[in-house]
Amino acid sequence: MSETTIEQELRREAKERHGRPTRPSLSLLASLVAPYRGLAVATLVAMLFDLSGMLLIPTQLSAMINTAVTTQDASEFLVHGGLMLAAALAGSAGYITSTWLASRLCANVGRDLRMRVYRASLSFSATDFNRFGTGSMITRTLSDANVVQQTLLMTILMIFPVPIMCAISVGLAFATDFVMGWVLLAVTLVTLAISLVAIRGTAPVFTRLQGFIDAMNARLREAITGVRVVRAFGRERLTRERLDETFDAYARNAIRVNYVFATTDLMTFFIMNGVESLIMWLGADRVGAHAMQIGSISALIEYAMLILFFMMMAQFAMLSVPRALACLDRAVEALEVSPQIRDAEECKEPAMVGEEVARFDHASLRYADADEDTLRDLDFSIRRGQVCAIIGNTGSGKSTVAKMLLRFCDATEGSLRFGGVDVREISQETLRSHIAYVPQKAWLFSGTIAENLRHGRADATDEELWHALDVAQASFVRELPDGLDSRVAQGGTNFSGGQRQRLAIARALVRQADLYVFDDSFSALDFKTDAALRHALASELAGAATLIIAQRVSTIHDANRIVVLKDGRIVGLGTHDALMQTCETYRAIAQSQARKEDIRG
């Protein structure tokens, strides 16, 4: 079967990654483990007790057969039996303790990795988010971190003990019989070679598997989110085929990995049975030649079985190591992103005392991946006690103005001052604490209405929440059985578009900010509610500055100053009446929304 487009893209990315050093990934892992050095040392000590108990049991069994059985001395039985029991108890205690400590260590490492990736994503610019994608960031934060956590646990419990177990077992075998020592050493080296070959073959496949998880997350998220559009246009079959393509590609690569697992396990089991037969055959010959005692055969078989058992478990764990390294590489990619928006070394406090709250001083903006400016030479101010409005055709850059105020992006030319200070000299936390923002898409979080409103201000009282709801014309909340404690689904999907917008506006009013930014926040409201809301806001926000980004002329009709944008440039600036006389772009927008005789001026 030919490769799909997704498989070809992932194979191309793997080739680009080939040859890159894994040192950054290992450095990241080391930095995650470093705070828990004490826990790691305690785990290793407990593990030594576990291994010591395992190795003492066959040693004492051999001694019991060689002495107690041949001499028929009951005291020898009791001595060696008691030592075997003590070894078993010590080994069990060591195993339980080491497993608990290792699980705790790995859980802490996994948590810290998730937090690092998530915190890094909080500093991403819009370009960075577009580069990675939401589905990929979710995979890197959750799935990849889980893979690293589980692989680290398996490495500690299944791989770390192998060198110790092999070294001591082979040493004991040599001490028991020189020939048998060479047999165990040869078996150990052969099994190790098989494991390395298997790992080398599965490493690139594991890397691609994580890419397939990204692709599945992205496509499944898109299909579920847009299910109404899919059904409305009858595209269920096409969507299903696209998802099937991704699922089939993942399944094919997963089958390859499972085939390697099965083959490796089969070879290991074959070696185990062959070694057991070989030891018994050679042991019988050596015992007959009086070169070794009969009890030593049981000890050698136990040593061989322990080596092969641990090697087999290590194979299982080692096959997951390439996948974990791929996940760490992906985490490093996210962590090494240099934020385009960062705080200055010495931040200043804005002076919120004058009338001018914010000012665009010949500010222009060009995104890093763009060929031309999105906004050009913006020069206007937003004043306290006034309403400044921005209107323009689709794609004129209206919402980008709000992003600049919130420092989601910075001016590439000119400057934007807030409280008389360049926003690049104000910490992002301080700047945004003075701004209340209502986004274009009213997003609500799962929880209650009260919890959503308190995103604006955590210490707001219930009275303040009700007041904000009344101003936002969200009277429907009073009609709900649970009022402020009514449940909100993720995204607010259990409310209509207009209800979500009013709740988002109420959340902004709770903030009690110096500047209120409404980014096309009235589009889902009917004209009557829109008018009532604007009337209520006029008195509520009299002491603050207000910026309204709108598409409807009726929404901004009474604004003190209207900025008209076209292709990122200001083509009109003034009141509604003045712009109707002087600005052709504004007049065309107004005339397209209402009959000529209903337009003032």
Side-chain angles (χ1 to χ4, degrees):
M1 186 178 293
S2 60
E3 287 189 338
T4 63
T5 304
I6 296 175
E7 287 177 299
Q8 293 172 355
E9 291 177 357
L10 293 174
R11 192 176 292 277
R12 193 181 308 117
E13 290 179 4
K15 288 181 179 179
E16 292 175 357
R17 288 196 184 102
H18 183 69
R20 292 183 189 173
T22 58
R23 189 170 302 170
S25 300
L26 297 178
S27 298
L28 172 61
L29 183 60
S31 67
L32 290 167
V33 176
Y36 309 104
R37 285 188 292 266
L39 195 58
V41 171
T43 302
L44 293 177
V45 171
M47 192 178 296
L48 287 176
F49 276 93
D50 177 25
L51 298 178
S52 299
M54 286 186 184
L55 291 169
L56 280 173
I57 291 175
T59 303
Q60 292 302 315
L61 177 63
S62 173
M64 180 185 291
I65 295 173
N66 291 332
T67 58
V69 173
T70 56
T71 62
Q72 298 294 314
D73 188 347
S75 62
E76 289 289 335
F77 274 106
L78 293 176
V79 170
H80 293 296
L83 290 174
M84 290 174 66
L85 179 60
L89 292 175
S92 299
Y95 175 76
I96 294 172
T97 305
S98 62
T99 302
W100 179 76
L101 291 173
S103 300
R104 184 177 176 183
L105 169 65
C106 296
N108 289 334
V109 169
R111 177 200 62 199
D112 293 349
L113 179 59
R114 293 184 199 97
M115 290 304 301
R116 284 199 192 185
V117 176
Y118 173 68
R119 287 170 181 166
S121 69
L122 292 179
S123 64
F124 281 4
S125 65
T127 304
D128 296 327
F129 270 116
N130 292 335
R131 169 189 165 192
F132 288 101
T134 304
S136 178
M137 287 308 302
I138 292 175
T139 303
R140 292 167 197 258
T141 306
L142 299 179
S143 176
D144 288 5
N146 286 338
V147 170
V148 172
Q149 177 180 331
Q150 294 302 320
T151 303
L152 180 60
L153 180 61
M154 289 191 294
T155 300
I156 294 174
L157 297 179
M158 300 180 184
I159 297 180
F160 281 179
V162 170
I164 303 173
M165 176 63 71
C166 291
I168 298 178
S169 296
V170 171
L172 291 173
F174 272 108
T176 302
D177 186 83
F178 194 74
V179 174
M180 291 299 186
W182 283 109
V183 171
L184 281 189
L185 179 60
V187 170
T188 302
L189 294 177
V190 169
T191 310
L192 179 62
I194 293 173
S195 301
L196 293 177
V197 171
I199 291 170
R200 185 178 180 85
T202 57
V205 182
F206 273 123
T207 303
R208 289 199 297 274
L209 282 177
Q210 293 307 110
F212 286 126
I213 293 176
D214 276 353
M216 287 191 294
N217 274 339
R219 289 193 173 180
L220 191 59
R221 178 189 178 91
E222 183 181 56
I224 294 175
T225 305
V227 64
R228 294 182 181 178
V229 178
V230 171
R231 290 177 177 175
F233 285 90
R235 307 297 284 177
E236 293 93 340
R237 180 178 178 181
L238 176 63
T239 304
R240 185 169 58 252
E241 288 175 352
R242 292 183 66 207
L243 287 171
D244 287 345
E245 176 189 351
T246 311
F247 296 156
D248 289 343
Y250 179 86
R252 283 196 298 273
N253 282 268
I255 289 171
R256 294 176 194 172
V257 174
N258 290 328
Y259 175 78
V260 174
F261 273 116
T263 304
T264 306
D265 284 347
L266 178 63
M267 295 180 68
T268 304
F269 277 116
F270 176 79
I271 292 173
M272 288 177 67
N273 287 284
V275 167
E276 185 175 1
S277 301
L278 179 62
I279 290 176
M280 293 182 69
W281 179 68
L282 289 176
D285 185 63
R286 301 285 291 173
V287 170
H290 302 288
M292 58 183 287
Q293 294 179 296
I294 190 169
S296 300
I297 296 178
S298 63
L300 289 169
I301 292 175
E302 286 295 324
Y303 296 151
M305 293 302 102
L306 284 173
I307 289 174
L308 293 174
F309 173 76
F310 272 82
M311 290 288 284
M312 186 173 64
M313 298 301 293
Q315 286 173 1
F316 176 78
M318 289 171 72
L319 288 173
S320 300
V321 170
R323 184 176 186 180
L325 289 175
C327 293
L328 282 170
D329 285 337
R330 287 154 52 84
V332 169
E333 287 178 358
L335 294 174
E336 287 185 344
V337 172
S338 179
Q340 296 180 357
I341 309 299
R342 63 181 69 186
D343 292 338
E345 292 184 3
E346 295 184 5
C347 296
K348 299 179 180 179
E349 289 290 328
M352 311 306 299
V353 291
E355 288 187 3
E356 188 177 85
V357 175
R359 177 167 184 79
F360 289 82
D361 188 3
H362 299 283
S364 298
L365 171 68
R366 176 180 296 187
Y367 289 110
D369 55 351
D371 297 327
E372 57 183 20
D373 291 340
T374 301
L375 295 174
R376 304 182 188 89
D377 196 32
L378 297 189
D379 191 41
F380 68 95
S381 62
I382 305 173
R383 296 181 174 275
R384 192 179 301 276
Q386 294 185 358
V387 176
C388 179
I390 298 179
I391 195 170
N393 296 320
T394 302
S396 59
K398 302 186 297 297
S399 294
T400 307
V401 174
K403 293 178 182 178
M404 291 182 68
L405 282 167
L406 290 158
R407 274 207 82 194
F408 294 158
C409 50
D410 279 338
T412 49
E413 292 182 17
S415 65
L416 167 58
R417 294 197 298 273
F418 190 87
V421 181
D422 192 311
V423 292
R424 288 167 288 201
E425 298 178 354
I426 307 173
S427 72
Q428 297 174 64
E429 182 179 358
T430 300
L431 173 67
R432 292 164 189 164
S433 68
H434 290 281
I435 301 175
Y437 174 56
V438 183
Q440 193 170 15
K441 181 180 179 181
W443 181 265
L444 301 177
F445 299 92
S446 56
T448 65
I449 290 178
E451 290 170 348
N452 272 272
L453 297 184
R454 288 194 172 99
H455 271 281
R457 183 161 53 87
D459 60 350
T461 64
D462 286 354
E463 290 74 15
E464 290 173 319
L465 299 185
W466 283 117
H467 176 71
L469 289 169
D470 291 337
V471 174
Q473 308 301 303
S475 57
F476 66 90
V477 177
R478 294 188 181 275
E479 300 172 4
L480 297 174
D482 296 324
L484 291 173
D485 294 325
S486 299
R487 301 301 301 176
V488 179
Q490 186 180 37
T493 53
N494 56 330
F495 293 101
S496 68
Q499 289 174 330
R500 288 198 297 270
Q501 279 195 340
R502 282 175 280 175
L503 289 174
I505 291 170
R507 178 174 60 195
L509 295 175
V510 171
R511 189 65 175 263
Q512 297 180 357
D514 293 290
L515 172 62
Y516 291 82
V517 179
F518 300 93
D519 186 2
D520 198 15
S521 307
F522 311 109
S523 58
L525 306 180
D526 59 78
F527 285 98
K528 180 180 179 181
T529 305
D530 186 352
L533 175 58
R534 285 185 288 109
H535 177 74
L537 289 176
S539 57
E540 181 70 17
L541 307 182
T546 304
L547 176 67
I548 298 178
I549 299 170
Q551 304 229 17
R552 292 199 308 224
V553 171
S554 59
T555 301
I556 62 171
H557 184 280
D558 298 322
N560 302 96
R561 179 178 297 180
I562 301 173
V563 179
V564 185
L565 292 181
K566 182 178 181 181
D567 298 329
R569 294 182 180 274
I570 295 178
V571 295
L573 183 62
T575 62
H576 169 79
D577 293 333
L579 290 171
M580 286 298 294
Q581 298 294 331
T582 60
C583 182
E584 180 180 349
T585 301
Y586 183 79
R587 187 165 55 248
I589 294 173
Q591 290 174 348
S592 68
Q593 295 180 9
R595 291 181 302 174
K596 242 182 182 180
E597 58 268 26
D598 292 335
I599 304 295
R600 295 187 191 179

